[in-house]
Amino acid sequence: MQQEHLFKVLVIGDLGVGKTSIIKRYVHQIFSQHYRATIGVDFALKVLNWDHQTVIRLQLWDIAGQERYGNMTRVYYREAVGALVVFDVTRASTFEAVLKWKDDLDTKVTLGNGRPVPAVLLANKSDQSREGLCSQLPKLDTFCRDNGFVGWFQTSAKENTNIDAAARCLVDNILANEESAGVDSDPDVLVLPGLNNNTKERGHSRCATCSKF
Amino acid sequence: MHLCLYLSCLFACLSWQQAFWCLVQICEKYLPGYYSAGLEAIQLDGEIFFALLRRVCPMAYRHLKKFKIDPILYMTEWFMCIFSRTLPWACVLRVWDMFFCEGVKVVFRVGLVLLKLTLGSVEKLKELQGMYETMEKLRNIPPESVREDLLIMEVSSLVVTEALIERESSIQVRKWRESRGELSHQPSRRLHGTRAIHEHKRRATAIRSGGSFSFLGVSAPSPGPLRASSSLLSLPGFRKSKTPFRSPAKKASFSGVSGFELAPALSAPGQSSTQNLAHKPPSGLPPPRAQTQGAPPPMGKELSEKITPTIPSPTANNTPLPPSLGGAKAPPAPMATAASGGEEQGKKKRRSKEDKKKEKEEEKHRVREHKERDKAEKDRQKKEKDKKKERGGKKKEKDKEKEKGGGGGGGEAEENNGATAQRDSA
């Protein structure tokens, strides 16, 4: 019996860190050097054949990074179940803004059970900084633990590194939350007992690189 | 900003200074607050837009409401870029042309037409059963589905007047203040098109040169922000720069920028600016007024039949037109723009200083009436509610009557008589 899930996932982070590029790469397998600021919000849909029983439709909300849209984020975040928080490894200021974005997220949206939505941290443009921030990256494990990220990935939209892995990590966490929320909250979804274990196993094996708590 | 880019494309024939001042005019006069921190003005216009949609296309309104699609999710890009990212280039040129001429109401109208186009029929909605599907459709309007001539025809036949927008604006401002507190921008600062800007500028100049303040209405926009930019323009250096179509008759005026090519169509024919039109290469831009007048009456009639039933009488359509506007009575109401376009020009030819004075007084009067009008509107709604309870049957009749009445007025007439008519209906 096939299950279908629809998840709203936010992609947030400072101006020009590559949110739109990550989505373009992930959904349309394209990359463009040309920069075009997102106005307000953009959308994309990624369909994942998670396993032979599960189809996941990821609704990716590409939120404009400019500060002036800050007032509108409450509308954009509504009913989201996961988030990718992106920063640019070549610009330290974008990393400093990560906490600002995380705070904004946590104050404006929570899961049905009141817990914060799972967020994965993406250190984007890894192709551009072979030296730079690399030395600091190990510290990100602690940073994630301290600030409630479920994991982090070094990504490059240009070279297509780790974007799929990051999305899988996030979906794992979203699915785990769905399960813990219980069947009663979503009567349309039938969760098979065998699937629970299965998903958890998958989660562990796939998220080897990211720190899970 | 991308707007700059489009401006430079649109006005390839202008110098960079002129393009820059166009941008300034857009940001300060046409769309104040649109590009400032917090984007309050956009959110407010989103609410106004949604309220207007309820009148213009209830089906689309219900659909968007059903799937909880907030206006800022789709209209932010439309309004902030004035459709330059949404429409095909040929449409963008026409829309921008009209926008410079007539102001923000064009933006509202184009948005409403697009929603009617995408969500205006049962078949179309069948394919869009979901928030994502709807959003996807609204954000990727297929270019082949929008033809510029049809778009402009629809846009000009839509009865969404400045008066209606201003009225809805005051309602939404009140709601905003109740729910979210004070606004940091003044919605009243917005000016509707070249004519309004020119008038405003003229008044500001009068004040500067020692004129009286008396004709400025109670809530008339302060001349402050205008001075900043206009004073720069009137710097000797700038004035000496070659501005071929700057009319010598309007020395200190802003027309070199705001009115540039539109000035001839909008200003009195006595002014020599008309001759200067020849200096301006056409460069693919059709003559500004041509489109609004272009929609021939018979076509408008056809459209009007489709549109009228969905529109309850906006502010003041049920008052008889003043004698000077007799000509506008012949075409049906939804032709307002097209009709009033020609009407406007004719009227302007006739307009003397006396008329202007009269208009000023009228405006003053209107501003004063504005508050009363809101109050009256509230009372009226209350009364209507009561009546509804008492005799539900009669209400329908009243509505019918209202719709019938809606066919009587033109945009211009409404502007002038908005206040009185409101009072009458109240």
Side-chain angles (χ1 to χ4, degrees), chain A residues 23-190:
Chain A
I23 292 174
K24 285 252 166 72
R25 169 60 81 188
Y26 185 52
V27 178
H28 308 291
Q29 288 83 42
I30 47 170
F31 177 79
S32 160
Q33 291 280 358
H34 173 74
Y35 175 70
R36 195 177 110 135
T38 305
I39 308 252
V41 63
D42 221 330
F43 307 84
L45 188 72
K46 172 83 174 178
V47 180
L48 293 171
N49 293 310
W50 194 249
D51 53 40
H52 57 279
Q53 283 174 318
T54 324
V55 175
I56 290 172
R57 294 160 71 84
L58 278 188
Q59 213 180 75
L60 295 158
W61 285 53
D62 181 5
I63 313 287
Q66 287 176 38
E67 203 159 346
R68 55 181 168 170
Y69 297 102
N71 256 338
M72 299 180 168
T73 49
R74 191 179 298 278
V75 176
Y76 301 153
Y77 292 174
R78 201 191 292 151
E79 287 167 24
V81 293
L84 299 170
V85 184
V86 188
F87 72 96
D88 174 355
V89 288
T90 64
R91 286 187 294 150
S93 67
T94 64
F95 177 68
E96 283 151 24
V98 160
L99 285 183
K100 192 201 78 187
W101 282 101
K102 183 74 166 69
D103 277 347
D104 193 47
L105 182 73
D106 290 340
T107 51
K108 289 175 181 166
V109 65
T110 50
L111 296 175
N113 53 14
R115 282 167 52 187
V117 301
V120 171
L121 183 64
L122 305 192
N124 195 34
K125 306 195 189 177
S126 63
D127 56 290
Q128 283 188 29
S129 82
R130 298 279 173 237
E131 60 295 325
L133 249 108
C134 269
S135 53
Q136 308 213 355
L137 288 181
K139 291 181 191 165
L140 280 181
D141 281 334
T142 345
F143 178 83
C144 283
R145 208 172 302 128
D146 293 345
N147 296 293
F149 288 95
V150 295
W152 70 274
F153 289 85
Q154 213 174 343
T155 59
S156 164
K158 190 178 176 187
E159 294 177 353
N160 195 15
T161 34
N162 268 338
I163 292 173
D164 287 305
R168 272 199 304 271
C169 172
L170 184 65
V171 172
D172 270 328
N173 280 280
I174 294 171
L175 283 172
N177 279 327
E178 288 273 303
E179 283 158 21
S180 69
V183 188
D184 46 16
S185 68
D186 197 350
D188 293 345
V189 177
L190 179 71

Side-chain angles (χ1 to χ4, degrees), chain B residues 113 116 149-158 303 307:
Chain B
V113 168
K116 268 178 76 176
D149 44 352
L150 294 176
L151 176 78
I152 297 306
M153 212 172 71
E154 287 265 348
V155 165
S156 17
S157 65
L158 214 57
L303 273 167
I307 290 163

Side-chain angles (χ1 to χ4, degrees), chain B residues 9-21:
Chain B
C9 288
L10 269 177
F11 310 119
C13 48
L14 298 184
S15 70
W16 64 267
Q17 289 108 320
Q18 286 157 351
F20 170 75
W21 285 111

Side-chain angles (χ1 to χ4, degrees), chain B residues 36-109:
Chain B
S36 56
L39 299 176
E40 233 176 30
I42 280 280
Q43 295 179 62
L44 188 67
D45 274 0
E47 298 301 324
I48 297 168
F49 182 67
F50 203 46
L52 292 173
L53 181 66
R54 192 178 191 168
R55 292 163 175 269
V56 173
C57 187
M59 189 182 274
Y61 174 84
R62 279 196 300 271
H63 183 80
L64 292 171
K65 191 133 193 165
K66 181 177 162 192
F67 292 106
K68 291 182 192 161
I69 303 175
D70 199 283
I72 59 166
L73 293 182
Y74 53 89
M75 55 72 74
T76 309
E77 192 179 86
W78 291 0
F79 277 49
M80 284 185 81
C81 305
I82 319 168
F83 299 101
S84 52
R85 280 191 179 190
T86 313
L87 294 172
W89 185 237
C91 292
V92 173
L93 289 176
R94 306 282 304 260
V95 168
W96 275 59
D97 218 3
M98 286 176 78
F99 167 71
F100 279 121
C101 211
E102 298 178 40
V104 79
K105 73 163 177 250
V106 173
V107 181
F108 278 98
R109 286 183 184 190

